Amino acid sequence: MIDYNKYEAVIGLEVHAQLLTESKLFCSDSAAFGGAPNTHVSPITLGHPGTLPRMNQKAVEYAVKLGLACHCEIAAENYFARKNYFYPDLPKGYQVSQHTAPICVGGHVAITTAEGERNIQLNRIHLEEDAGKSLHDQEPDNTMVDYNRAGVPLVEIVTEPDLHTGDEAYAYLTALRRLVRYLGVCDGNMEEGSMRCDANISIRLKGATTLGTKVEVKNMNSIRNVKRAIENEVKRQIELVENDGTIVQETRSFDAANGSSFPLRSKEEANDYRYFPEPDLAPFRLTAAFLAAIKASLPALPDELVQLYTTQYGLPEYDARVLCDDKATADYFAQVIAVSPQYKAAANWLLGPVKQYLNEHSIGAEQFPLPAASLADLMGLVESGKVNFSIASSRIFPEMIQQPGKKALEIATALNLLQDTNADNITPIIDEVLAKYPGKVAEYKAGKKGLIGLFVGEVMKRSQGKADPKLTNQLLAERLK
Ligand code: ADP
Ligand code: MG
C-alpha cells in the first residue's frame, strides 16, 4: 500500500496570456484571433531580410497594468532578447522575448481555497511574441502552418514553486483569469488558447526543504484540466518513486480524453537558445510619468471590491464574491447602487433574477438588456411597498426586459399588479379565509399566534399576491381579537 500522504507536491505555473492589443508586438499586423490562415502576416511578421520590428506601446502598458495589479516591481530599464531555435511555426528562427530581463519582478496573486486565503508568489511577468500555429489535421500527409498568431503580444506570468495542490492551481488560475479580464488586458479564454498554462511539478517528502526533479506538463485547455493534469502527475511521480523508479526531468503532454500524460521530450533534447539582445530594437525606459498614468488608470480590482462590499456595504462574503466574479457584473451592480443604494436588495436582484436570465440566455452581464437605472426603478417600486418582490421578479421584470423604455410603475399599473392597500377590498378576502379555517382560528385564539402566517399566506394567494402584506396583517390581527 502506497502512503501518498508522505509526500508533498511542489508546483510552479507558467501562464502565457495573449494581450488584447489591436496589432502585433512589433508591427501593425492584426493581432485578432482567427481570420483566414496567413492573412495577418506582413513581411515583418515573417522576419524577411530588411524588415525592422517596432515596439507596440500598448503591449508595454498592458504588461505594466498586470504587473501593478500583481504587486510586482516594475523594471524601468527594458530590452528584448532573441531566443534562437528552429521550429516550423517560428518564421524568423528566433522568438523575441524579455526572458533574460522581465518587465515585472516578484509580486503575488491572492487565492482563496478551502484552507483559506494565501498569496501565491510570482517570480516574474515578461513580454514576448507568440509563435504561429502548426495544423496537423488539415491534410492527411502534410502539416500546414498558420502565421496569423506569430508576433501576437504575450505576457508570460511565472510563479515561484509555491503551489502544492491541484486545487491551489485551480484557484490561482481562476484568480489570474479574473484579474486579466478586469484589467481588460487578455480575454482569458483557455479553450481558444488566449490563456495557456504549463505546470512544473515535483514531489518531496513532507518536511523536506530541497526541491525534487521537476516535470513540465503542457497542453491543458481548461483550468479544470490543469487541476486534473497536476493530480495525475503527482500520483504518477509518487508511484514511480515508491516502486524504486527515478523521476527524469522531461516535458509531458496531457491527454484530457484519458486523464493521463505522455512524454514529449527529455532534458537531453533541450535546446541551447543562444540568447542575445535583439539588435533591431532599442532598449526602452519607462518614465515615472508613464508609470503614474497607468497606475491612475487601474480599475478597482476584485479583491478590493469584495473588501468594500463586505465592510462598507455590509454584504455577505458570498454575495460579494459572486458579484465580483466578473467585471461586467460588478460594474452593473455599481450602476444600480449609484441610483438606489439598497445594497442587499441590489445583490439579491443580481444573484437571483438577473443571474437566472443571463444563464437562460447564455450571455454575460455586459449583454444584459435592462439598463441599471431601470432595475433600480423596479427596486424602488418594491421598496415603496407598491408591489412585492415575488410579483416584481416574476411578472414585471420580464416585461421590463421586453419594454426597456417603460417605467416599472407603468408596467405594474398596465398589468394590474399594484398592491392593494384598500381595506375594503382586502377585508372580504380575510373573511373568506377565516371562514374556511374555523379550526385554525380557534387554535390561534387559544394562543397559537404563529398561525397568522398561514392566514396572511392564504389572503395573498387569493388576492394573487396583490394584497398589501402589512395592511393584511393589521386587518387580520383586528379580526382575530
Ligand atoms: P525553465 O527555465 O525550465 O522554464 P524555471 O526555473 O524558469 O525553469 O522555472 C519554470 C517554472 O518551474 C517556474 O514556475 C518555477 O517556479 C517552476 N519550478 C522550478 N523548479 C521546480 C521544481 N523543482 N518543482 C516544481 N516547480 C519548479
Ligand atoms: Mg519552462
Side-chain angles (χ1 to χ4, degrees):
M1 271 292 277
I2 295 178
D3 179 12
Y4 291 89
N5 282 321
K6 269 198 327 208
Y7 296 91
E8 168 187 62
V10 177
I11 302 151
L13 298 179
E14 297 167 278
V15 171
H16 286 93
Q18 278 181 352
L19 297 176
L20 283 171
T21 54
E22 280 175 35
S23 55
K24 292 189 178 177
L25 187 51
F26 301 118
C27 70
S28 62
D29 291 346
S30 167
F33 177 80
N38 298 309
T39 51
H40 304 164
V41 171
S42 67
I44 308 178
T45 284
L46 298 177
H48 284 186
T51 61
L52 285 173
R54 192 158 167 248
M55 190 63 212
N56 181 336
Q57 182 171 320
K58 203 79 188 170
V60 178
E61 227 175 280
Y62 283 2
V64 170
K65 257 190 179 169
L66 184 58
L68 290 173
C70 293
H71 318 276
C72 305
E73 234 177 85
I74 311 296
E77 307 291 340
N78 284 274
Y79 69 92
F80 282 91
R82 286 188 186 179
K83 178 180 180 179
N84 298 279
Y85 64 98
F86 175 77
Y87 202 74
D89 66 12
L90 194 71
K92 296 195 289 249
Y94 56 84
Q95 179 196 29
V96 178
S97 165
Q98 280 190 320
H99 194 92
T100 42
I103 188 163
C104 311
V105 182
H108 63 262
V109 172
I111 63 162
T112 314
T113 62
E115 269 78 58
E117 259 185 64
R118 188 162 95 73
N119 287 337
I120 301 301
Q121 298 304 319
L122 298 184
N123 172 277
R124 55 154 65 206
I125 300 174
H126 69 255
L127 276 163
E128 60 189 28
E129 58 179 343
D130 209 344
K133 227 180 189 165
S134 301
L135 308 169
H136 306 288
D137 55 0
Q138 306 288 305
E139 291 197 0
D141 300 322
N142 296 308
T143 289
M144 315 292 279
V145 227
D146 177 7
Y147 288 123
N148 281 354
R149 202 177 70 178
V152 167
L154 294 176
V155 279
E156 180 174 345
I157 306 138
V158 184
T159 75
E160 293 294 346
D162 191 28
L163 300 110
H164 300 287
T165 63
D167 284 329
E168 282 193 347
Y170 189 98
Y172 167 77
L173 291 172
T174 305
L176 186 62
R177 183 174 61 183
R178 183 167 51 222
L179 195 58
V180 297
R181 286 177 173 168
Y182 257 80
L183 295 168
V185 300
C186 170
D187 66 23
N189 190 330
M190 286 195 67
E191 288 73 19
E192 281 178 0
S194 42
M195 193 171 131
R196 309 189 283 271
C197 175
D198 302 336
N200 298 271
I201 302 156
S202 62
I203 57 163
R204 64 184 174 196
L205 287 170
K206 272 185 186 154
T209 48
T210 52
L211 292 172
T213 302
K214 70 168 177 169
V215 169
E216 184 171 358
V217 186
K218 289 180 169 312
N219 296 329
M220 294 81 80
N221 68 349
S222 69
I223 293 181
R224 197 177 77 91
N225 279 338
V226 173
K227 174 176 138 82
R228 287 174 69 208
I230 288 171
E231 287 168 355
N232 169 266
E233 176 60 19
V234 171
K235 187 162 171 284
R236 191 189 71 85
Q237 290 186 16
I238 293 175
E239 286 166 3
L240 191 61
V241 170
E242 286 282 319
N243 288 305
D244 298 325
T246 316
I247 294 162
V248 291
Q249 189 171 335
E250 63 182 353
T251 303
R252 301 176 70 89
S253 180
F254 183 66
D255 179 357
N258 58 33
S260 62
S261 66
F262 57 90
L264 282 177
R265 56 181 177 269
S266 71
K267 195 191 178 188
E268 284 70 53
E269 300 156 49
N271 277 300
D272 168 8
Y273 293 119
R274 308 180 323 280
Y275 287 104
F276 63 86
E278 164 63 65
D280 289 340
L281 281 166
F284 59 99
R285 162 179 295 162
L286 306 183
T287 64
F290 179 77
L291 291 176
I294 296 174
K295 208 169 214 166
S297 78
L298 285 180
L301 298 175
D303 291 338
E304 294 164 15
L305 281 181
V306 168
Q307 187 71 13
L308 175 77
Y309 289 3
T310 51
T311 58
Q312 303 287 309
Y313 299 173
L315 290 182
E317 172 99 12
Y318 173 82
D319 293 27
R321 292 225 172 267
V322 180
L323 288 174
C324 299
D325 220 20
D326 71 296
K327 187 164 187 296
T329 304
D331 285 347
Y332 192 91
F333 178 74
Q335 289 170 27
V336 174
I337 59 171
V339 185
S340 166
Q342 309 168 50
Y343 307 118
K344 182 59 183 154
N348 290 346
W349 273 98
L350 285 185
L351 269 52
V354 175
K355 203 170 164 46
Q356 193 186 339
Y357 181 91
L358 299 178
N359 289 344
E360 275 164 14
H361 293 79
S362 303
I363 54 171
E366 68 287 347
Q367 289 166 285
F368 184 55
L370 190 65
S374 303
L375 184 63
D377 173 34
L378 181 54
M379 279 166 53
L381 202 64
V382 177
E383 175 72 2
S384 71
K386 291 199 171 70
V387 294
N388 64 32
F389 175 79
S390 149
I391 295 261
S393 57
S394 64
R395 304 285 309 276
I396 307 176
F397 177 72
E399 203 54 37
M400 284 187 87
I401 292 174
Q402 297 305 317
Q403 310 182 54
K406 287 229 171 106
K407 293 296 243 182
L409 182 59
E410 267 180 84
I411 291 177
T413 312
L415 295 178
N416 189 24
L417 294 171
L418 285 179
Q419 223 146 53
D420 201 336
T421 51
N422 185 344
D424 293 342
N425 298 333
I426 300 175
T427 309
I429 304 179
I430 289 181
D431 290 338
E432 272 172 48
V433 170
L434 297 185
K436 191 181 157 199
Y437 294 105
K440 299 285 176 203
V441 172
E443 281 179 51
Y444 177 91
K445 288 188 173 161
K448 215 171 160 192
K449 300 292 179 210
L451 283 169
I452 189 98
L454 171 85
F455 303 133
V456 173
E458 198 61 26
V459 173
M460 296 305 283
K461 218 190 281 169
R462 287 171 183 240
S463 71
Q464 280 153 7
K466 282 165 55 187
D468 177 19
K470 215 166 138 202
L471 183 60
T472 304
N473 261 294
Q474 260 175 28
L475 294 171
L476 266 167
E478 277 167 29
R479 267 286 192 281
L480 288 164
K481 252 198 218 128

